[in-house]
Amino acid sequence: MITIKLDKTLKMPIYEQLIAGIKNLIMTGKLHAHQQIISVRAMAKELGINPNTVQKAYALLKQDDLLYSVAGKGDFITENAVHLKDFKKDEIKELFYTATKQAQNAGMWIDEIFTIIDEAYSSN
Amino acid sequence: MITIKLDKTLKMPIYEQLIAGIKNLIMTGKLHAHQQIISVRAMAKELGINPNTVQKAYALLKQDDLLYSVAGKGDFITENAVHLKDFKKDEIKELFYTATKQAQNAGMWIDEIFTIIDEAYSSN
DNA sequence: GAGTTGTACTATGATATTTAGTACAGTTTG
DNA sequence: CAAACTGTACTAAATATCATAGTACAACTC
């Protein structure tokens, strides 16, 4: 059973949370190439949101070449999705960059940062 | 001359960017305790935005006990602002945590992360 | 007294998000 | 074949957030 967490109280729009959730399922291998993804209407029902919101997320994923649709059948994961980790790595690198810059402004030492990373990496 | 960068094209609201900018000025020592901050109207004029937007930012900073106002005189930096770095550190720690988790999902090794941090920390 | 300060309103416009409902062509299933 | 599914494309409405515009008032400075 595939589960995606949504938090309506967050500022982040539902469709973005859904996209992030699906990307995560792909990266963690829970969704693989050519596998069919749950239908727009079924996903909406399962998450308790509007089908239009799901469709928006799927459309954007299709635009990013992570999903392709077969008329009348459904949506499937693309081959290209394998490279998601590579694209994601660039985004993550940017995350670390801005976080590090903020840490410097806050007067943190690099060893302090390393300790945090170590702690986060080891924890489950 | 104190400058704060605003980018209207960003998704982040102007008032939040302003708050971040002021916090940064405090943390870098460009604004110190009991120092008067530029008035609501003057700040608005200088940044080319509406006074109401500045007021919103100031009100939130006051709520966070980083500013206090003296009727008829203006707004000033609180003593408490000295501890901004400590609060900020907790937020930054959270940033590193989520980034590290995402990095793990993307299949990055901890050494890879350390290299990025090192690079970011050394660059200006 | 004139000009400044913060603060408190009302009102408006723009935009983004989400939901609701309807419709249609293609495919699968019974 | 017919019913039930698929993605897709609309219109419409409700809601929330953000930013702007304008006005007003009490307190303070010069």
Side-chain angles (χ1 to χ4, degrees), chain A residues 3-103:
Chain A
T3 50
I4 292 178
K5 292 179 190 171
L6 293 185
D7 187 347
K8 294 195 178 189
T9 70
L10 290 182
K11 55 189 172 186
M12 182 161 64
I14 300 179
Y15 75 90
E16 278 189 19
Q17 294 184 41
L18 182 51
I19 289 175
I22 293 171
K23 282 186 178 178
N24 211 63
L25 290 177
I26 293 175
M27 285 195 303
T28 53
K30 282 157 194 158
L31 284 177
H32 55 266
H34 299 299
Q35 182 178 351
Q36 184 168 8
I37 194 173
I38 179 174
S39 81
V40 172
R41 292 170 179 85
M43 176 72 87
K45 196 165 195 175
E46 188 173 316
L47 297 180
I49 61 179
N50 194 280
N52 290 342
T53 305
V54 179
Q55 190 188 346
K56 183 172 188 176
Y58 282 16
L60 290 171
L61 286 169
K62 209 179 117 183
Q63 192 175 302
D64 279 356
D65 198 22
L66 292 176
L67 287 186
Y68 67 94
S69 20
V70 181
K73 291 189 66 179
D75 285 0
F76 302 82
I77 311 293
T78 61
E79 290 275 2
N80 181 62
V82 189
H83 306 116
L84 220 187
K85 288 184 183 178
D86 302 325
F87 301 133
K88 189 72 183 173
K89 276 187 183 178
D90 290 335
E91 295 176 24
I92 292 171
K93 189 171 177 179
E94 202 56 37
L95 276 186
F96 279 119
Y97 254 83
T98 60
T100 302
K101 283 303 170 191
Q102 286 188 46

